[in-house]
Amino acid sequence: MKKKLIAGNWKMNGSTVANAALVQQLLEGVNQVACDIAVCVPAPYLAGVGALVKGTAIAVGAQDVSAHEAGAYTGEVSAGMLRDLAVRYVIVGHSERRQYHGETDAVVANKVQKALAAGIVPIVCVGETLSEREAGQTEEVVKRQLAAVIHTNGHCISEIVVAYEPVWAIGTGKTASPEQAQQVHAVLRTQLHAATAHSDRVRILYGGSMNAANAAELLAQTDIDGGLVGGASLKALDFLAIIAAAA
Ligand code: 13P
């Protein structure tokens, strides 16, 4: 069985003082954990949080990476820079990036490529909006999003992590039911299986209002290999409870 991965996505939250307090509480609670743990923090805090968790069970991740290698791209952060800071994971194609920054499937695929080339594990987000779900397009949408990544990255996709995040469940308190999530995860698993002989290595996380109360049931599903946690990852006790549910 794959080791589960619980990744916190702090989104645009935090401060030097708040981060130190949160990380300290997490470190006190994660003794002898049986799953992989990451916190994906805002870019300005990558080095600081990296120093706080160095040598511990918690890895640091970024929330985005440039689709370019280097050069005149003001404000962007390259995969090489993330590697320089010993960043282990990077979230790519989060629905908030797709929605507010116009990231297309092709851009997401290129970002994944840059992360993989730098030895950083991309956590590739896919997920349908409410109107897409209501129109019966869920499968079609997530398959299209993942297909772009597979097309650009070929057999290297065995090194990625996928996160299924139904857009309607993000920050809304509405969670996909374990059955709804499992159904989509199974579709993604089949797609990965057709693309690489090592699909069994790929972890598929669920994200969208995962919390201390619903984590165990979601994580018990056959094809749910972890969680990408937003709001609840900012509260140490809640995040630790989700980690415990994954162990
Ligand atoms: P919430 O857990 O706050 O719904 O956010 C999920 C998410 O977007 C994680 O990337």
Side-chain angles (χ1 to χ4, degrees), residues 181-201:
Q182 167 57 30
Q183 199 176 16
V184 179
H185 281 235
V187 166
L188 295 169
R189 179 80 69 209
T190 304
Q191 191 178 5
L192 288 165
H193 187 66
T196 166
H198 303 291
S199 62
D200 51 329
R201 246 193 251 166

Side-chain angles (χ1 to χ4, degrees), residues 225-242:
D225 308 311
L228 183 55
V229 186
S233 74
L234 296 170
K235 298 178 208 137
L237 292 180
D238 291 24
F239 196 52
L240 287 169
I242 295 170

Side-chain angles (χ1 to χ4, degrees), residues 59-100:
V60 172
Q63 298 176 7
D64 184 31
V65 65
S66 177
H68 306 284
E69 218 161 283
Y73 301 101
T74 302
E76 296 216 27
V77 175
S78 73
M81 293 169 189
L82 297 182
R83 181 180 48 199
D84 200 16
L85 294 176
V87 166
R88 178 105 47 96
Y89 299 94
V90 61
I91 297 170
V92 181
H94 192 280
S95 62
E96 287 150 17
R97 301 286 321 168
R98 293 180 191 260
Q99 189 180 350
Y100 306 136

